[in-house]
Amino acid sequence: MISFEKTENQILIKNTVKEFTEKNIRPYVMEWDETQTLPRDLFKKMGELGLMGIIVPENYGGAGLGYFEYVTAIVEVAKVCGAIGLSMAAHNSLCTNHILSFGNEDQKQKWVTKLASGQWLGAWGLTEANTGSDAMRMRCVAKQDGDYWVLNGTKNWITHGISGDVAVVLARTGELLDSRGITAFVVERGTPGFKGGKKENKLGMRASETAELVFEDCRIHKSNILGNVGDGFIQAMKILDGGRISIAALSLGIAKGAFEAATNYSKEREQFGQAICNFQGISFKLADMATKIEASENLIDYACYLKNNHLDVGKHSAMAKYYASETAVTCATEAIQIFGGYGYTKDFPVEKFYRDSKLCTIGEGTSEIQKLVIARSILK
């Protein structure tokens, strides 16, 4: 029988991360959001705590933990700031995990150790301006020149596109629409021909940098290829399965943060001589939020169980990501309604949960793409 009761380790991680966020994140949330500042020093501190390499084995400098612990940490961070949770998730599950999953021993020692410690910040480049969900039509190409590959093109919507120290980049090395025609390269910042481009001015997640990766005759040695030439697309799809658990956890944290703020406010705010939580209209909103949060948590727990046991997680990670992200939007919306006019101001936290939540239904596969994944799985 599968049990998802929280372990002592998960409880310890939850309390440790909560203490860390209260001291190092909460006091600066709105400052970072208003100025769109990516707090690099914070991620080094998170690295010292083990948060930048949670699922990385200890022999590569990571914490050597599983997905339950990873999700626990992301939820606690996202309850305070979705943007920091997003950066942590992208660093761990996309860039670091791609090298960890498909790199050789030399590549892991060279890059994973620096990423897991928080010394380096990672980026992951799949999306392009005209190829979001339709990744096989990518125009970023790499052509072989002896022992090197020459990379040209642009990647868009990349977390840490400017500030990342290293990026895993998917580029077309074969024919258009060929799933075996895409290859994964590791490119370090400072490589000639590689630079950050336009930084996006976003609605939410503003303390998590989103920018272009630009490649102009960027020469990459063949030793920087992850796996074999042509394996990149298949690798990316596997990485996204785990990445969807990350975004589900991020969504859950935002939903819980909004729910807790709304619940506390409803107990303090009085109208007509009593706390507004006593009114059915408010209490029913809280009941709906609590139910959706618990359902999301159960979906995520089952996806974590499958991932930890190396079982097929595609359908269930899509279900968890789809349901939890929509729950985050619902909970943030209802939280603002419960706060009323105050909820629409930046003096209270729920307007930021509202802005941050929407990205969760878009990033790492839209809700519509999740439905497509789920539908194909149940109909095949």
Side-chain angles (χ1 to χ4, degrees):
M1 182 178 175
I2 303 170
S3 173
F4 295 136
E5 185 176 352
K6 303 303 179 190
T7 64
E8 286 185 19
N9 212 18
Q10 286 171 263
I11 294 168
L12 175 63
I13 289 168
K14 177 180 178 177
N15 292 335
T16 301
V17 176
K18 183 175 182 178
E19 182 180 339
F20 178 86
T21 58
E22 291 298 327
K23 179 182 177 182
N24 296 284
I25 299 177
R26 192 180 295 279
Y28 313 105
V29 166
M30 291 313 296
E31 175 189 336
W32 294 337
D33 183 76
E34 293 284 345
T35 59
Q36 301 193 55
T37 298
L38 178 75
R40 282 301 305 269
D41 288 344
L42 173 72
F43 294 108
K44 290 176 181 175
K45 290 180 183 176
M46 290 171 71
E48 292 168 6
L49 199 62
L51 299 180
M52 301 304 278
I54 297 180
I55 54 178
V56 173
E58 292 181 53
N59 56 311
Y60 299 121
L65 300 171
Y67 266 76
F68 286 108
E69 292 81 9
Y70 175 47
V71 163
T72 298
I74 288 182
V75 167
E76 285 305 307
V77 171
K79 279 167 68 174
V80 176
C81 181
I84 302 304
L86 173 63
S87 278
M88 174 185 164
H91 171 94
N92 272 283
S93 70
L94 297 180
C95 179
T96 305
N97 194 39
H98 197 142
I99 302 172
L100 179 67
S101 298
F102 299 105
N104 58 41
E105 187 62 27
D106 288 343
Q107 291 169 333
K108 292 176 189 177
Q109 291 291 348
K110 184 176 182 180
W111 293 307
V112 172
T113 51
K114 291 177 181 176
L115 289 163
S117 68
Q119 179 186 347
W120 276 19
L121 195 60
W124 192 76
L126 174 66
T127 305
E128 298 179 9
N130 297 309
T131 58
S133 302
D134 189 11
M136 282 202 295
R137 294 183 191 272
M138 67 173 58
R139 297 176 182 175
C140 188
V141 298
K143 296 185 185 269
Q144 190 168 11
D145 180 18
D147 286 343
Y148 287 81
W149 289 76
V150 183
L151 186 57
N152 281 285
T154 303
K155 295 292 178 178
N156 294 68
W157 309 107
I158 309 304
T159 304
H160 312 142
I162 295 170
S163 298
D165 298 284
V166 65
V168 174
V169 181
L170 285 301
R172 187 155 55 82
T173 51
E175 296 300 314
L176 196 68
L177 300 180
D178 179 7
S179 64
R180 290 285 181 182
I182 293 170
T183 302
F185 298 87
V186 181
V187 189
E188 292 186 21
R189 187 70 59 185
T191 302
F194 171 40
K195 64 181 181 180
K198 176 193 173 190
K199 178 181 175 181
E200 302 296 341
N201 185 8
K202 307 192 300 282
L203 168 72
M205 303 290 194
R206 289 163 64 84
S208 179
E209 176 188 276
T210 305
E212 293 177 325
L213 300 176
V214 180
F215 302 93
E216 297 173 342
D217 294 330
C218 179
R219 294 176 64 82
I220 306 163
H221 193 265
K222 64 182 182 181
S223 61
N224 284 36
I225 292 174
L226 294 173
N228 298 315
V229 172
D231 285 352
F233 184 78
I234 288 87
Q235 292 175 3
M237 294 305 102
K238 290 178 180 176
I239 291 301
L240 283 172
D241 281 345
R244 285 167 182 154
I245 297 175
S246 296
I247 301 300
L250 177 67
S251 304
L252 179 62
I254 291 171
K256 284 189 171 187
F259 172 71
E260 289 177 9
T263 302
N264 292 336
Y265 182 78
S266 74
K267 292 176 180 178
E268 297 165 0
R269 172 72 166 167
E270 290 191 359
Q271 290 285 273
F272 306 103
Q274 58 182 310
I276 63 172
C277 63
N278 294 326
F279 296 115
Q280 192 178 75
I282 301 298
S283 66
F284 278 16
K285 287 184 185 298
L286 295 171
D288 283 339
M289 292 161 76
T291 302
K292 289 178 183 293
I293 285 170
E294 190 147 333
S296 299
E297 197 156 16
N298 284 328
L299 283 167
I300 294 167
D301 280 345
Y302 189 59
C304 287
Y305 164 78
L306 294 174
K307 187 70 176 172
N308 278 351
N309 287 278
H310 309 290
L311 300 170
D312 183 11
V313 74
K315 179 179 79 171
H316 290 94
S317 66
M319 285 179 167
K321 196 270 187 188
Y322 165 55
Y323 193 82
S325 64
E326 295 292 343
T327 292
V329 173
T330 298
C331 288
T333 303
E334 292 290 44
I336 287 184
Q337 199 69 20
I338 290 169
F339 270 79
Y342 290 116
Y344 204 64
T345 71
K346 292 184 183 292
D347 295 328
F348 292 85
V350 290
E351 66 85 29
K352 184 177 182 298
F353 286 128
Y354 181 75
R355 289 186 289 109
D356 287 350
S357 67
K358 190 57 197 168
L359 184 277
C360 298
T361 68
I362 299 170
E364 293 192 38
T366 63
S367 290
E368 290 74 21
I369 288 294
Q370 306 314 313
K371 290 182 188 180
L372 187 64
V373 172
I374 296 162
R376 283 178 176 172
S377 179
I378 61 179
L379 292 172
K380 71 181 179 181

